[in-house]
Amino acid sequence: MPEFPGGNDSLIYYIRDNFILPRYASSPDTLATIYVTFVVDYFGYVQDVQNLNRVHPRVDHNAVNVIKGMPQWKPGRQDGEPVNVKNTVPIRVPAPRSIPSFLRGKSPFIELAYDEEAYEAGVFLGTMENPEFPKGEKALASFIRQHYKTPATAAQKKVSGTAKLSFIVTPAGKVTRIKTMSNLGHGIEENLTETLSQMPAWKPGVDKGLPQFVKRTLEFQITNGKATFKAIVPSEYDQVDFD
């Protein structure tokens, strides 16, 4: 069989030291196991890394990455000749505490095909370095003032209140998946969505030295239909309660 440099104990230490556990709503007293399969080729290099099951989108992604980053193995042999050998490694992590809506009616521990929407449950909500709008929040407030267009009907009806929208900042700083979390209507949320879609790239959020997908939620003060940036507020996962 193939052998990790230093043997099985060294493999355990490698995973422990290099696997990055993302932040997600978890149950510290309950563990889940993700199984990652891969091929050690006849040169000892790791190939064809895949998840055999799913635990959480960010966990799944990071588990694959830690296996892909392994050093060269001592290759397996058959009849004295080096050959390709398939291996499976288990990684145990805290089980997700709540089941996101995209898994409704399904177990989060079986093999699933995640669509793009699934990854919202895997973004970081708090990082060592949060994403930043270029030149900070004052510049963000100025950007909103310059680009937001007050809807005529909202101005006529003197609509006032608090609008709330969320979005994802990717590791490249791109703003994506903008969602409205308020319902003032009269075109306010639609125009805010259009404004946020025009934002330049943000400085990405960083955790343990690596850029991450991070969710940001913004609140706006609406006065007679006019929007003023209010604050960046805590974000929450899309959670669903099950009986």
Side-chain angles (χ1 to χ4, degrees):
M1 291 297 293
E3 184 177 308
F4 186 84
N8 193 58
D9 287 344
S10 294
L11 172 59
I12 293 172
Y13 289 131
Y14 168 82
I15 293 174
R16 183 194 67 184
D17 294 341
N18 292 276
F19 176 75
I20 299 174
L21 183 66
R23 296 179 185 177
Y24 60 100
S26 62
S27 301
D29 297 329
T30 306
L31 294 177
T33 303
I34 181 169
Y35 294 93
V36 186
T37 183
F38 57 96
V39 172
V40 177
D41 69 18
Y42 49 79
F43 291 113
Y45 293 110
V46 172
Q47 307 285 348
D48 301 327
V49 183
Q50 298 179 34
N51 291 327
L52 288 180
N53 67 318
R54 307 286 185 176
V55 169
H56 185 282
R58 290 300 294 166
V59 172
D60 304 341
H61 177 78
N62 290 3
V64 167
N65 282 345
V66 75
I67 299 302
K68 284 183 176 180
M70 288 193 296
Q72 187 177 8
W73 288 50
K74 179 181 178 181
R77 290 179 177 273
Q78 184 172 349
D79 297 328
E81 298 294 327
V83 292
N84 294 349
V85 180
K86 195 169 187 177
N87 286 264
T88 300
V89 168
I91 300 176
R92 291 178 63 79
V93 298
R97 185 172 69 238
S98 60
I99 302 176
S101 59
F102 64 87
L103 290 178
R104 178 184 292 276
K106 300 178 181 179
S107 165
F109 308 120
I110 63 175
E111 185 173 2
L112 296 170
Y114 286 105
D115 58 16
E116 182 181 357
E117 188 68 14
Y119 280 81
E120 182 171 358
V123 299
F124 282 54
L125 299 185
T127 54
M128 294 177 67
E129 297 178 30
N130 280 318
E132 293 182 3
F133 186 85
K135 297 185 180 180
E137 292 190 16
K138 288 186 178 180
L140 173 58
S142 177
F143 179 90
I144 300 300
R145 284 196 304 270
Q146 294 175 21
H147 291 82
Y148 173 79
K149 297 178 180 178
T150 303
T153 55
Q156 282 180 346
K157 294 180 178 293
K158 297 183 179 181
V159 177
S160 299
T162 300
K164 192 173 181 180
L165 291 88
S166 70
F167 53 88
I168 306 298
V169 179
T170 72
K174 181 181 177 181
V175 172
T176 184
R177 313 236 326 268
I178 302 169
K179 289 189 175 182
T180 61
M181 304 174 69
S182 58
N183 190 28
L184 295 178
H186 304 286
I188 290 172
E189 281 83 7
E190 289 84 350
N191 285 14
L192 280 172
T193 298
E194 175 63 25
T195 301
L196 297 186
S197 70
Q198 299 174 38
M199 289 192 296
W202 286 49
K203 178 183 175 183
V206 175
D207 193 88
K208 295 184 179 179
L210 297 174
Q212 304 288 346
F213 290 87
V214 182
K215 191 173 185 178
R216 296 281 81 184
T217 302
L218 308 186
E219 281 189 352
F220 302 88
Q221 180 64 48
I222 307 300
T223 305
N224 298 332
K226 182 179 179 181
T228 303
F229 169 68
K230 186 176 178 183
I232 298 176
V233 298
S235 301
E236 295 177 350
Y237 287 122
D238 175 20
Q239 296 182 348
V240 176
D241 293 328
F242 290 84
D243 296 331

